[in-house]
Amino acid sequence: MGTVRNNGGLSAALLLSGALALTACGGPAATDGVSDGGGAETVSAAPERTEVGALTPRIVLAHDTGVVVLDSADGSELADVPVKGYARLGHAGDGRHVMVAASGGFTALDTGLIEKAHGDHSHFFTQEPVLTKATVKGEEPGHVVPHGERTALFDDGTGQMTVFDPAALAEGTLGETARTKTSAPHHGVAVPLSDGSLLHTEGTEDERHSVVVQDASGTEIARTDECPGVHGEAAAQPTANGDVVAIGCTDGPVVYRDGAFHKYAPIPGHERSGNLQGVESSSVVLMDGEPVTDGGDARGSTTIGLLDTATDGPVKTVDLGSAYWFRSLDRGPDGEALVLTEDGELNIIDPATGQMKHEVKATEPWTEPEDWQEPAPMLAVADGTAFVADPQHKKLAMIDIASGETYRTLDLPVIPHEIQVTTGSPSGEMHVGEAGASDAGGEHEGHEHEGHDHEGHDHEGEGHAH
């Protein structure tokens, strides 16, 4: 999960889309800057759809002038959407759309991968990627968190939280939204829980140390004030009593489990955790660990933590021998902990034991930039593949997580600072169409990766935004 700060502005067309009313598309009236439609001056023809036998993952890259969408099969450019200023990317939660966060708000980008269930099989379609008019206005749009069947957007500038069902995006709308505000604006996050409640941070621009859970009526049902510098979240394997969510703090993480918060001891010498990655098939959360210094957050840590949310600690640690940064962490289809380090290696770790499964040369050696907005190597995971971008060299490696083998390398047309990958499925798994369908019109490229067949892998829990 990432942050959004000091962003530039969206293009005039994108800003305009945020001001349009839902009623122009025949939907319910929009309020508080939530929009998903209309206006004759900006309405464009719907993209033409093509039926195919299967879908190929699409790579979404934010760069200094916009957002590019690439076909992962050959690196061909499918769209380059202009966006003025600095843009962040987050999965919308449906496997098809990516939320673009920039000055002015959040807007859904349709990556053009469409899966239609039809009885015991599915049909697949592709279309040109387009920036939709499904927009939520925001002063400082921040975290995008899909969880379960809902997605939460957090506006740091106002403290407003907007929760919606991402399935509505297939119709070009946000559908019904639930909106509420925190007690004060701050750099925060919200997580929709499966029982209809909402977990979110509380704080101010100067200080934040609280996490609360409110039920659907807005009544507070759980709270902790023991999370100074609260930042970062990750959902883990739920218990019989409901969702489990880990949250980063400067003095050891907290975990919401069985309806209450549990405080964990910090990693000695690496007390601050602010970036976490989880999958709902595993109780273990991958987290960073940074020393806390008087001058602020330290850089150059080589230690990561494996937090077992099913216990009360301690946090298991792994020293990778090379530093990493906040864009370095992700999870594999079987819960593997993935960490991209400055020596250019992708470390693939067994989360239960902390043992190294694979060390894969993925990029040239690099150093974390002084400015967090500057491009540097990063990764995203989809369909059992780690997509590792090396911005300085404009390369992208596609690495089979199970085998640790690099099966494809692409040249990039831009220098990206953010990456997301969509598959058309919320799970992040690629699906095959009806066997023998004469109208399938396409090959299942990108799934059987030149001899690396991913069939049978469990992709549950993928698709969470950084």
Side-chain angles (χ1 to χ4, degrees), residues 168-257:
L169 292 172
E171 305 302 323
T173 78
L174 289 169
E176 293 186 7
T177 60
R179 281 158 284 165
T180 185
K181 284 188 176 182
T182 59
S183 58
H186 65 283
H187 180 57
V189 66
V191 183
L193 302 181
S194 57
D195 62 1
S197 57
L198 185 68
L199 180 150
H200 65 86
T201 57
E202 286 283 357
T204 67
E205 292 182 359
D206 299 321
E207 181 182 10
R208 58 186 192 273
H209 51 73
S210 300
V211 188
V212 302
V213 178
Q214 294 177 308
D215 65 17
S217 69
T219 301
E220 184 177 300
I221 57 177
R223 166 183 285 267
T224 179
D225 298 313
E226 298 181 349
C227 190
V230 55
H231 184 276
E233 54 70 37
Q237 187 175 53
T239 70
N241 297 316
D243 296 314
V244 174
V245 180
I247 304 103
C249 319
T250 59
D251 63 350
V254 296
V255 171
Y256 179 71
R257 184 184 72 232

Side-chain angles (χ1 to χ4, degrees), residues 97-146:
H97 292 80
V98 168
M99 299 304 295
V100 179
S103 180
F106 304 87
T107 300
L109 171 73
D110 185 350
T111 64
L113 296 178
I114 303 163
E115 178 179 344
K116 295 282 189 180
H118 187 227
D120 61 352
H121 64 277
S122 293
H123 287 267
F124 303 100
F125 304 84
T126 61
Q127 65 185 34
E128 179 184 352
V130 293
L131 196 65
T132 74
K133 288 184 277 292
T135 297
V136 176
K137 282 187 175 180
E139 291 186 9
E140 297 178 30
H143 290 296
V144 178
V145 180

